[in-house]
Amino acid sequence: MKTVALSAHYDGKKIELDEPYPLPENAHLVVVVLPQDEERQGWSRLSVQQLARAYGENEPDYTEADLRK
């Protein structure tokens, strides 16, 4: 599975993704808790969107040989 950044929130009981995403059972996750700063939230959302565009479904898989060219 490729690494992907997803926006989410905590509803007081559980962490919920802001948009649906097919996670396999027992997927390993890293959770980063961000401060409640509105400006930071806006930048975080923008970062998630740009990472999703940069590393989208059509991104080719590069090998070590590709990196040496």
Side-chain angles (χ1 to χ4, degrees):
M1 180 176 192
K2 292 184 179 183
T3 301
V4 61
L6 304 169
S7 61
H9 64 278
Y10 179 65
D11 70 0
K13 295 182 182 177
K14 59 188 177 295
I15 295 171
E16 293 189 6
L17 298 177
D18 291 336
E19 296 181 18
Y21 188 84
L23 287 172
E25 188 173 334
N26 297 316
H28 293 275
L29 307 173
V30 173
V31 177
V32 177
V33 179
L34 302 172
Q36 288 295 322
D37 176 8
E38 284 298 318
E39 182 178 356
R40 181 174 298 276
Q41 287 180 359
W43 282 109
S44 295
R45 279 192 293 276
L46 179 62
S47 296
V48 167
Q49 291 169 353
Q50 296 306 317
L51 282 169
R53 280 184 31 188
Y55 298 99
E57 292 291 323
N58 297 325
E59 182 70 21
D61 289 329
Y62 295 105
T63 66
E64 285 187 37
D66 293 324
L67 298 175
R68 294 183 183 155
K69 291 181 181 179

